[in-house]
Amino acid sequence: MRLMDEELFPSTPGKIKIERAHTIHRQLYRCFASTSTIFLWALFLIALAASYATFQSFVDSSSRYFAASWGGLQWEKQVRASAAPRRPGGLSVLVTGAAGFVGSHVSLALRKRGDGVLGLDNFNNYYDPSLKKARRALLDGQDVMVVEGDINDARLLAKLFAVVPFTHVMHLAAQAGVRYAIENPASYVHSNIAGLVTLLEACKSADPQPAVVWASSSSVYGLNEEVPFSESDLTDRPASLYAATKKAGEEITHTYNHIYGLSITGLRFFTVYGPWGRPDMAYFSFTRNILQGKPITVYRGRSGTDLARDFTFIDDIVKGCVASLDTAERSTGSGGRKSGPSQYRIFNLGNTSPVTVPALVGILERHLRVKAKQKVLEMPGNGDVPFTHANISLARAELGYQPTTNLEAGLKKFVKWYLSYYGYKARNDEVTRTGSAKIM
Ligand SMILES: O=C(O)[C@H]1O[C@H](OP(=O)(O)OP(=O)(O)OC[C@H]2O[C@@H](n3ccc(=O)[nH]c3=O)[C@H](O)[C@@H]2O)[C@H](O)[C@@H](O)[C@@H]1O
């Protein structure tokens, strides 16, 4: 016990205590010898605390700024360069959904003829984002910048319009897919309604106001039985939430046209397909499954009738989009105020020759030279419609729209792209060897 005490405490503890007390006392005396010194010290401490707080908030806001994927002088310079037309009288177009199927094709077509193009895309994972990144790489190669951001981000949109006086907005960002709305209804409201309104708010406040061309859908015809579908037909019986949000979009855009003088063109696309397409669509997923020897599900109508679609090739759709931009009149408002009536248009962009789903499968089998394993099921009541068929007289008259690619030729191009993109040649051989699918 004694040993322990000696280790823990010095042999002459009292001396040490006294010396320490003296030293501390002397220091305190020096520092706080007078009340004025105490006052000065207090002031100094308050100033130190205040400057620390200011520094902290600077660090916070700067880290928020640097964490955002947009902003800064260099970024603004790139945005301006991408959106600047390369030809006299060229357009300056903000393309939303630019890393998407239709968006990437339209962006490339515009850039090719010398228009300025700036893309915007949120790269969500509704389907494989690597395909969206590959499309972005294509756009990069043509000096088209794609800003990563959401149409619901009002600050980002305001910034883009502050940096670039866009002449047009090609609005293609959306939650697509008819049947997925059963699984995730909120995503349709988020993108197709809330996102649309946020975008239109930015457009109406912009000075100059851009003309807006945007993607509606053939699905707005819903349970319509008039054939072929004309723009003048009633569209008040949607069969899916997706269709309902697109129909709502037509009404919402009308409001912005009416109140703010925004020039609006809505395009009702009919089942668009082609190279760089969407993996969630039937022609794409059928191709994947057929090549992998997996079964495909072919839906049929209730009375055993085949379902049919007015499948429209991407190049024809691109021509319709570009013609819509070219014929769009200017918005009449500026900075949120209307100064006169402005254009409001809706067009069908279809192919005018519906093809049944079994016929689509037959064409794919021929191009892939593989027999599909088919399961035929009754169409589930989850938003599908039995057929679509476009009347395109209006688009032909006003846009000079004339589709030139039939499903046979279009799918040939798609299959060629698919095989080169996914490198399925080798796997095709594997399919032959394992016999998991029958080669035709
Ligand atoms: O035209 C349109 O407005 C819509 O076209 C397509 O929707 P959809 O025509 O349903 O295209 P797919 O999903 O490719 O289906 C095509 C046909 O194949 C059928 N199908 C689909 C999937 C499947 O596994 N089996 C099958 O038989 C569908 O019932 C439909 O008749 C797009 O997915 C929508 O985003 C677009 O808005």
mmCIF file of all heavy atoms in Angstrom, residues 176-179 216-219 242 269-272 278 280-283 285-286 297-299 307-309 311 357 360 379 384-386 388, ligand 1:
data_model
loop_
_atom_site.group_PDB
_atom_site.id
_atom_site.type_symbol
_atom_site.label_atom_id
_atom_site.label_comp_id
_atom_site.label_asym_id
_atom_site.label_seq_id
_atom_site.Cartn_x
_atom_site.Cartn_y
_atom_site.Cartn_z
ATOM 1 N N ALA A 176 -42.423 6.850 -68.176
ATOM 2 C CA ALA A 176 -43.083 6.145 -69.276
ATOM 3 C C ALA A 176 -43.560 4.768 -68.823
ATOM 4 O O ALA A 176 -43.325 4.363 -67.682
ATOM 5 C CB ALA A 176 -42.113 6.012 -70.435
ATOM 6 N N GLY A 177 -44.204 4.058 -69.728
ATOM 7 C CA GLY A 177 -44.652 2.689 -69.441
ATOM 8 C C GLY A 177 -46.082 2.684 -68.929
ATOM 9 O O GLY A 177 -46.408 3.413 -67.999
ATOM 10 N N VAL A 178 -46.892 1.860 -69.557
ATOM 11 C CA VAL A 178 -48.317 1.850 -69.230
ATOM 12 C C VAL A 178 -48.602 1.005 -67.977
ATOM 13 O O VAL A 178 -49.289 1.438 -67.059
ATOM 14 C CB VAL A 178 -49.120 1.281 -70.432
ATOM 15 C CG1 VAL A 178 -50.589 1.138 -70.086
ATOM 16 C CG2 VAL A 178 -48.932 2.179 -71.653
ATOM 17 N N ARG A 179 -47.998 -0.179 -67.916
ATOM 18 C CA ARG A 179 -48.357 -1.124 -66.851
ATOM 19 C C ARG A 179 -47.632 -0.868 -65.531
ATOM 20 O O ARG A 179 -48.115 -1.231 -64.462
ATOM 21 C CB ARG A 179 -48.115 -2.570 -67.334
ATOM 22 C CG ARG A 179 -49.126 -3.001 -68.378
ATOM 23 C CD ARG A 179 -48.683 -4.192 -69.191
ATOM 24 N NE ARG A 179 -47.574 -3.869 -70.079
ATOM 25 C CZ ARG A 179 -47.705 -3.318 -71.293
ATOM 26 N NH1 ARG A 179 -48.907 -3.044 -71.755
ATOM 27 N NH2 ARG A 179 -46.659 -3.032 -72.028
ATOM 28 N N SER A 216 -46.881 13.845 -75.472
ATOM 29 C CA SER A 216 -48.070 13.245 -74.891
ATOM 30 C C SER A 216 -48.032 11.769 -75.311
ATOM 31 O O SER A 216 -46.930 11.237 -75.534
ATOM 32 C CB SER A 216 -49.334 13.954 -75.367
ATOM 33 O OG SER A 216 -50.475 13.361 -74.775
ATOM 34 N N SER A 217 -49.156 11.130 -75.481
ATOM 35 C CA SER A 217 -49.109 9.692 -75.751
ATOM 36 C C SER A 217 -50.389 9.232 -76.443
ATOM 37 O O SER A 217 -51.475 9.780 -76.210
ATOM 38 C CB SER A 217 -48.964 8.970 -74.406
ATOM 39 O OG SER A 217 -49.378 7.640 -74.499
ATOM 40 N N SER A 218 -50.244 8.182 -77.254
ATOM 41 C CA SER A 218 -51.426 7.602 -77.897
ATOM 42 C C SER A 218 -52.353 7.000 -76.840
ATOM 43 O O SER A 218 -53.535 6.780 -77.103
ATOM 44 C CB SER A 218 -51.012 6.506 -78.872
ATOM 45 O OG SER A 218 -50.589 5.360 -78.175
ATOM 46 N N SER A 219 -51.792 6.763 -75.652
ATOM 47 C CA SER A 219 -52.601 6.128 -74.603
ATOM 48 C C SER A 219 -53.751 7.026 -74.141
ATOM 49 O O SER A 219 -54.689 6.537 -73.509
ATOM 50 C CB SER A 219 -51.725 5.736 -73.419
ATOM 51 O OG SER A 219 -51.210 6.893 -72.809
ATOM 52 N N TYR A 242 -50.985 6.118 -66.213
ATOM 53 C CA TYR A 242 -50.036 6.745 -67.141
ATOM 54 C C TYR A 242 -50.797 7.622 -68.145
ATOM 55 O O TYR A 242 -50.481 8.804 -68.335
ATOM 56 C CB TYR A 242 -49.236 5.659 -67.878
ATOM 57 C CG TYR A 242 -48.451 6.194 -69.043
ATOM 58 C CD1 TYR A 242 -47.345 7.004 -68.840
ATOM 59 C CD2 TYR A 242 -48.824 5.902 -70.358
ATOM 60 C CE1 TYR A 242 -46.633 7.523 -69.911
ATOM 61 C CE2 TYR A 242 -48.118 6.411 -71.434
ATOM 62 C CZ TYR A 242 -47.023 7.223 -71.208
ATOM 63 O OH TYR A 242 -46.326 7.726 -72.259
ATOM 64 N N PHE A 269 -47.376 10.254 -79.282
ATOM 65 C CA PHE A 269 -46.532 9.211 -79.885
ATOM 66 C C PHE A 269 -47.247 7.865 -79.830
ATOM 67 O O PHE A 269 -47.832 7.514 -78.812
ATOM 68 C CB PHE A 269 -45.224 9.053 -79.107
ATOM 69 C CG PHE A 269 -44.298 10.237 -79.144
ATOM 70 C CD1 PHE A 269 -43.327 10.396 -78.146
ATOM 71 C CD2 PHE A 269 -44.339 11.182 -80.157
ATOM 72 C CE1 PHE A 269 -42.452 11.463 -78.162
ATOM 73 C CE2 PHE A 269 -43.462 12.252 -80.184
ATOM 74 C CZ PHE A 269 -42.524 12.395 -79.178
ATOM 75 N N PHE A 270 -47.118 7.094 -80.907
ATOM 76 C CA PHE A 270 -47.715 5.747 -80.962
ATOM 77 C C PHE A 270 -46.608 4.689 -80.885
ATOM 78 O O PHE A 270 -45.868 4.487 -81.848
ATOM 79 C CB PHE A 270 -48.530 5.569 -82.254
ATOM 80 C CG PHE A 270 -49.884 6.230 -82.212
ATOM 81 C CD1 PHE A 270 -50.015 7.615 -82.205
ATOM 82 C CD2 PHE A 270 -51.046 5.459 -82.158
ATOM 83 C CE1 PHE A 270 -51.260 8.231 -82.154
ATOM 84 C CE2 PHE A 270 -52.307 6.057 -82.111
ATOM 85 C CZ PHE A 270 -52.413 7.441 -82.099
ATOM 86 N N THR A 271 -46.479 4.038 -79.741
ATOM 87 C CA THR A 271 -45.559 2.900 -79.504
ATOM 88 C C THR A 271 -44.265 3.016 -80.344
ATOM 89 O O THR A 271 -44.065 2.279 -81.313
ATOM 90 C CB THR A 271 -46.285 1.550 -79.736
ATOM 91 O OG1 THR A 271 -47.555 1.612 -79.091
ATOM 92 C CG2 THR A 271 -45.492 0.388 -79.134
ATOM 93 N N VAL A 272 -43.416 3.917 -79.904
ATOM 94 C CA VAL A 272 -42.171 4.207 -80.637
ATOM 95 C C VAL A 272 -41.134 3.110 -80.365
ATOM 96 O O VAL A 272 -40.950 2.698 -79.214
ATOM 97 C CB VAL A 272 -41.587 5.567 -80.201
ATOM 98 C CG1 VAL A 272 -40.427 5.966 -81.111
ATOM 99 C CG2 VAL A 272 -42.663 6.645 -80.196
ATOM 100 N N ARG A 278 -36.196 1.480 -75.495
ATOM 101 C CA ARG A 278 -36.438 1.276 -74.062
ATOM 102 C C ARG A 278 -36.592 -0.206 -73.740
ATOM 103 O O ARG A 278 -37.492 -0.867 -74.270
ATOM 104 C CB ARG A 278 -37.729 2.011 -73.657
ATOM 105 C CG ARG A 278 -37.523 3.471 -73.363
ATOM 106 C CD ARG A 278 -38.821 4.173 -73.019
ATOM 107 N NE ARG A 278 -39.838 3.326 -72.448
ATOM 108 C CZ ARG A 278 -41.150 3.484 -72.673
ATOM 109 N NH1 ARG A 278 -41.586 4.452 -73.453
ATOM 110 N NH2 ARG A 278 -42.016 2.688 -72.108
ATOM 111 N N ASP A 280 -37.932 -1.700 -71.384
ATOM 112 C CA ASP A 280 -39.199 -2.132 -70.774
ATOM 113 C C ASP A 280 -40.272 -2.419 -71.822
ATOM 114 O O ASP A 280 -41.308 -2.990 -71.490
ATOM 115 C CB ASP A 280 -39.708 -1.056 -69.802
ATOM 116 C CG ASP A 280 -40.005 0.261 -70.513
ATOM 117 O OD1 ASP A 280 -39.150 0.712 -71.306
ATOM 118 O OD2 ASP A 280 -41.098 0.832 -70.300
ATOM 119 N N MET A 281 -40.023 -2.050 -73.070
ATOM 120 C CA MET A 281 -41.075 -2.238 -74.077
ATOM 121 C C MET A 281 -41.044 -3.653 -74.663
ATOM 122 O O MET A 281 -40.016 -4.325 -74.653
ATOM 123 C CB MET A 281 -40.961 -1.169 -75.157
ATOM 124 C CG MET A 281 -41.369 0.199 -74.599
ATOM 125 S SD MET A 281 -41.344 1.499 -75.809
ATOM 126 C CE MET A 281 -42.683 1.020 -76.904
ATOM 127 N N ALA A 282 -42.197 -4.083 -75.181
ATOM 128 C CA ALA A 282 -42.357 -5.481 -75.590
ATOM 129 C C ALA A 282 -41.327 -5.915 -76.644
ATOM 130 O O ALA A 282 -40.688 -6.957 -76.489
ATOM 131 C CB ALA A 282 -43.770 -5.703 -76.112
ATOM 132 N N TYR A 283 -41.135 -5.124 -77.702
ATOM 133 C CA TYR A 283 -40.231 -5.552 -78.778
ATOM 134 C C TYR A 283 -38.814 -5.773 -78.251
ATOM 135 O O TYR A 283 -38.085 -6.646 -78.711
ATOM 136 C CB TYR A 283 -40.223 -4.518 -79.924
ATOM 137 C CG TYR A 283 -39.476 -3.239 -79.598
ATOM 138 C CD1 TYR A 283 -38.156 -3.065 -79.964
ATOM 139 C CD2 TYR A 283 -40.099 -2.214 -78.876
ATOM 140 C CE1 TYR A 283 -37.478 -1.900 -79.640
ATOM 141 C CE2 TYR A 283 -39.434 -1.065 -78.556
ATOM 142 C CZ TYR A 283 -38.116 -0.908 -78.933
ATOM 143 O OH TYR A 283 -37.437 0.235 -78.594
ATOM 144 N N SER A 285 -37.899 -6.384 -74.826
ATOM 145 C CA SER A 285 -37.803 -7.499 -73.870
ATOM 146 C C SER A 285 -38.027 -8.835 -74.580
ATOM 147 O O SER A 285 -37.424 -9.847 -74.221
ATOM 148 C CB SER A 285 -38.777 -7.315 -72.707
ATOM 149 O OG SER A 285 -40.097 -7.323 -73.180
ATOM 150 N N PHE A 286 -38.857 -8.840 -75.629
ATOM 151 C CA PHE A 286 -39.046 -10.074 -76.404
ATOM 152 C C PHE A 286 -37.703 -10.483 -77.042
ATOM 153 O O PHE A 286 -37.325 -11.642 -77.017
ATOM 154 C CB PHE A 286 -40.076 -9.871 -77.523
ATOM 155 C CG PHE A 286 -41.525 -9.834 -77.060
ATOM 156 C CD1 PHE A 286 -42.553 -9.635 -77.981
ATOM 157 C CD2 PHE A 286 -41.866 -10.009 -75.729
ATOM 158 C CE1 PHE A 286 -43.894 -9.595 -77.581
ATOM 159 C CE2 PHE A 286 -43.200 -9.974 -75.313
ATOM 160 C CZ PHE A 286 -44.209 -9.761 -76.249
ATOM 161 N N THR A 297 -44.213 -13.625 -72.877
ATOM 162 C CA THR A 297 -45.660 -13.675 -72.642
ATOM 163 C C THR A 297 -46.358 -12.813 -73.678
ATOM 164 O O THR A 297 -46.061 -11.622 -73.791
ATOM 165 C CB THR A 297 -45.986 -13.113 -71.242
ATOM 166 O OG1 THR A 297 -45.192 -13.817 -70.298
ATOM 167 C CG2 THR A 297 -47.455 -13.292 -70.903
ATOM 168 N N VAL A 298 -47.241 -13.424 -74.428
ATOM 169 C CA VAL A 298 -47.993 -12.668 -75.436
ATOM 170 C C VAL A 298 -49.431 -12.519 -74.928
ATOM 171 O O VAL A 298 -50.114 -13.518 -74.692
ATOM 172 C CB VAL A 298 -47.961 -13.404 -76.794
ATOM 173 C CG1 VAL A 298 -48.849 -12.691 -77.809
ATOM 174 C CG2 VAL A 298 -46.530 -13.496 -77.308
ATOM 175 N N TYR A 299 -49.828 -11.281 -74.748
ATOM 176 C CA TYR A 299 -51.190 -11.047 -74.258
ATOM 177 C C TYR A 299 -52.189 -11.090 -75.411
ATOM 178 O O TYR A 299 -51.862 -10.733 -76.543
ATOM 179 C CB TYR A 299 -51.289 -9.689 -73.562
ATOM 180 C CG TYR A 299 -50.411 -9.573 -72.335
ATOM 181 C CD1 TYR A 299 -49.556 -8.482 -72.165
ATOM 182 C CD2 TYR A 299 -50.431 -10.562 -71.353
ATOM 183 C CE1 TYR A 299 -48.742 -8.376 -71.053
ATOM 184 C CE2 TYR A 299 -49.629 -10.461 -70.232
ATOM 185 C CZ TYR A 299 -48.786 -9.364 -70.082
ATOM 186 O OH TYR A 299 -47.996 -9.272 -68.989
ATOM 187 N N LEU A 307 -53.910 -8.508 -79.779
ATOM 188 C CA LEU A 307 -53.704 -7.082 -79.510
ATOM 189 C C LEU A 307 -52.911 -6.494 -80.673
ATOM 190 O O LEU A 307 -52.126 -7.198 -81.315
ATOM 191 C CB LEU A 307 -52.931 -6.890 -78.208
ATOM 192 C CG LEU A 307 -53.540 -7.535 -76.953
ATOM 193 C CD1 LEU A 307 -52.697 -7.216 -75.727
ATOM 194 C CD2 LEU A 307 -54.970 -7.053 -76.751
ATOM 195 N N ALA A 308 -53.107 -5.215 -80.922
ATOM 196 C CA ALA A 308 -52.384 -4.594 -82.043
ATOM 197 C C ALA A 308 -51.929 -3.193 -81.676
ATOM 198 O O ALA A 308 -52.563 -2.504 -80.880
ATOM 199 C CB ALA A 308 -53.303 -4.538 -83.266
ATOM 200 N N ARG A 309 -50.790 -2.811 -82.255
ATOM 201 C CA ARG A 309 -50.245 -1.476 -82.009
ATOM 202 C C ARG A 309 -49.824 -0.829 -83.332
ATOM 203 O O ARG A 309 -49.352 -1.506 -84.242
ATOM 204 C CB ARG A 309 -49.001 -1.537 -81.104
ATOM 205 C CG ARG A 309 -49.289 -1.850 -79.640
ATOM 206 C CD ARG A 309 -49.999 -0.693 -78.954
ATOM 207 N NE ARG A 309 -50.250 -0.971 -77.544
ATOM 208 C CZ ARG A 309 -51.317 -1.609 -77.080
ATOM 209 N NH1 ARG A 309 -52.233 -2.075 -77.920
ATOM 210 N NH2 ARG A 309 -51.498 -1.785 -75.781
ATOM 211 N N PHE A 311 -47.155 0.558 -84.265
ATOM 212 C CA PHE A 311 -45.722 0.730 -83.959
ATOM 213 C C PHE A 311 -45.094 1.768 -84.894
ATOM 214 O O PHE A 311 -45.240 1.688 -86.117
ATOM 215 C CB PHE A 311 -44.987 -0.602 -84.147
ATOM 216 C CG PHE A 311 -45.429 -1.683 -83.191
ATOM 217 C CD1 PHE A 311 -46.337 -2.667 -83.596
ATOM 218 C CD2 PHE A 311 -44.942 -1.727 -81.888
ATOM 219 C CE1 PHE A 311 -46.736 -3.675 -82.730
ATOM 220 C CE2 PHE A 311 -45.344 -2.737 -81.008
ATOM 221 C CZ PHE A 311 -46.244 -3.700 -81.432
ATOM 222 N N VAL A 357 -49.553 -8.201 -82.044
ATOM 223 C CA VAL A 357 -48.383 -8.616 -81.249
ATOM 224 C C VAL A 357 -47.822 -9.955 -81.763
ATOM 225 O O VAL A 357 -46.604 -10.088 -81.913
ATOM 226 C CB VAL A 357 -48.726 -8.644 -79.740
ATOM 227 C CG1 VAL A 357 -47.552 -9.162 -78.929
ATOM 228 C CG2 VAL A 357 -49.106 -7.236 -79.267
ATOM 229 N N LEU A 360 -45.670 -9.179 -84.615
ATOM 230 C CA LEU A 360 -44.405 -8.581 -84.148
ATOM 231 C C LEU A 360 -43.428 -9.697 -83.752
ATOM 232 O O LEU A 360 -42.249 -9.668 -84.130
ATOM 233 C CB LEU A 360 -44.697 -7.672 -82.939
ATOM 234 C CG LEU A 360 -43.524 -7.302 -82.038
ATOM 235 C CD1 LEU A 360 -42.764 -6.109 -82.624
ATOM 236 C CD2 LEU A 360 -43.975 -6.945 -80.621
ATOM 237 N N MET A 379 -55.008 -10.680 -71.653
ATOM 238 C CA MET A 379 -54.515 -9.355 -71.251
ATOM 239 C C MET A 379 -55.003 -9.024 -69.828
ATOM 240 O O MET A 379 -56.205 -9.020 -69.579
ATOM 241 C CB MET A 379 -55.069 -8.332 -72.243
ATOM 242 C CG MET A 379 -54.725 -6.908 -71.954
ATOM 243 S SD MET A 379 -55.376 -5.841 -73.277
ATOM 244 C CE MET A 379 -56.986 -5.439 -72.670
ATOM 245 N N ASP A 384 -53.601 -1.815 -70.080
ATOM 246 C CA ASP A 384 -53.435 -2.021 -71.520
ATOM 247 C C ASP A 384 -54.713 -1.693 -72.289
ATOM 248 O O ASP A 384 -55.804 -1.811 -71.749
ATOM 249 C CB ASP A 384 -53.131 -3.505 -71.760
ATOM 250 C CG ASP A 384 -51.788 -3.695 -72.421
ATOM 251 O OD1 ASP A 384 -51.348 -2.769 -73.113
ATOM 252 O OD2 ASP A 384 -51.194 -4.771 -72.248
ATOM 253 N N VAL A 385 -54.538 -1.323 -73.550
ATOM 254 C CA VAL A 385 -55.704 -1.177 -74.431
ATOM 255 C C VAL A 385 -55.548 -2.182 -75.569
ATOM 256 O O VAL A 385 -54.422 -2.581 -75.890
ATOM 257 C CB VAL A 385 -55.827 0.272 -74.987
ATOM 258 C CG1 VAL A 385 -56.195 1.228 -73.869
ATOM 259 C CG2 VAL A 385 -54.557 0.720 -75.701
ATOM 260 N N PRO A 386 -56.658 -2.637 -76.187
ATOM 261 C CA PRO A 386 -56.533 -3.709 -77.192
ATOM 262 C C PRO A 386 -55.820 -3.307 -78.476
ATOM 263 O O PRO A 386 -55.121 -4.116 -79.074
ATOM 264 C CB PRO A 386 -57.984 -4.114 -77.474
ATOM 265 C CG PRO A 386 -58.844 -3.048 -76.889
ATOM 266 C CD PRO A 386 -58.051 -2.325 -75.846
ATOM 267 N N THR A 388 -54.208 0.273 -81.058
ATOM 268 C CA THR A 388 -54.050 1.713 -81.344
ATOM 269 C C THR A 388 -53.881 1.869 -82.850
ATOM 270 O O THR A 388 -53.344 0.974 -83.518
ATOM 271 C CB THR A 388 -52.820 2.335 -80.631
ATOM 272 O OG1 THR A 388 -51.629 1.703 -81.107
ATOM 273 C CG2 THR A 388 -52.915 2.205 -79.122
HETATM 274 O O1 LIG B 1 -48.072 4.606 -77.625
HETATM 275 C C1 LIG B 1 -47.967 4.933 -76.459
HETATM 276 O O2 LIG B 1 -48.497 5.934 -76.071
HETATM 277 C C2 LIG B 1 -47.213 4.097 -75.463
HETATM 278 O O3 LIG B 1 -46.526 3.080 -76.162
HETATM 279 C C3 LIG B 1 -45.891 2.141 -75.338
HETATM 280 O O4 LIG B 1 -46.877 1.408 -74.631
HETATM 281 P P1 LIG B 1 -47.411 0.085 -75.291
HETATM 282 O O5 LIG B 1 -48.075 0.354 -76.600
HETATM 283 O O6 LIG B 1 -48.230 -0.597 -74.263
HETATM 284 O O7 LIG B 1 -46.055 -0.695 -75.634
HETATM 285 P P2 LIG B 1 -45.450 -2.059 -75.098
HETATM 286 O O8 LIG B 1 -45.331 -2.067 -73.638
HETATM 287 O O9 LIG B 1 -44.233 -2.311 -75.880
HETATM 288 O O10 LIG B 1 -46.573 -3.141 -75.493
HETATM 289 C C4 LIG B 1 -46.896 -3.385 -76.847
HETATM 290 C C5 LIG B 1 -47.903 -4.497 -76.943
HETATM 291 O O11 LIG B 1 -47.293 -5.701 -76.490
HETATM 292 C C6 LIG B 1 -48.112 -6.310 -75.507
HETATM 293 N N1 LIG B 1 -47.233 -6.999 -74.538
HETATM 294 C C7 LIG B 1 -46.429 -6.312 -73.736
HETATM 295 C C8 LIG B 1 -45.588 -6.941 -72.858
HETATM 296 C C9 LIG B 1 -45.616 -8.333 -72.778
HETATM 297 O O12 LIG B 1 -44.887 -8.978 -71.999
HETATM 298 N N2 LIG B 1 -46.453 -9.007 -73.608
HETATM 299 C C10 LIG B 1 -47.264 -8.386 -74.492
HETATM 300 O O13 LIG B 1 -48.026 -9.045 -75.209
HETATM 301 C C11 LIG B 1 -48.922 -5.206 -74.886
HETATM 302 O O14 LIG B 1 -50.107 -5.719 -74.356
HETATM 303 C C12 LIG B 1 -49.134 -4.292 -76.086
HETATM 304 O O15 LIG B 1 -50.256 -4.732 -76.783
HETATM 305 C C13 LIG B 1 -44.940 2.802 -74.362
HETATM 306 O O16 LIG B 1 -44.439 1.896 -73.420
HETATM 307 C C14 LIG B 1 -45.585 3.969 -73.652
HETATM 308 O O17 LIG B 1 -44.614 4.642 -72.884
HETATM 309 C C15 LIG B 1 -46.172 4.878 -74.706
HETATM 310 O O18 LIG B 1 -46.690 6.013 -74.204
#
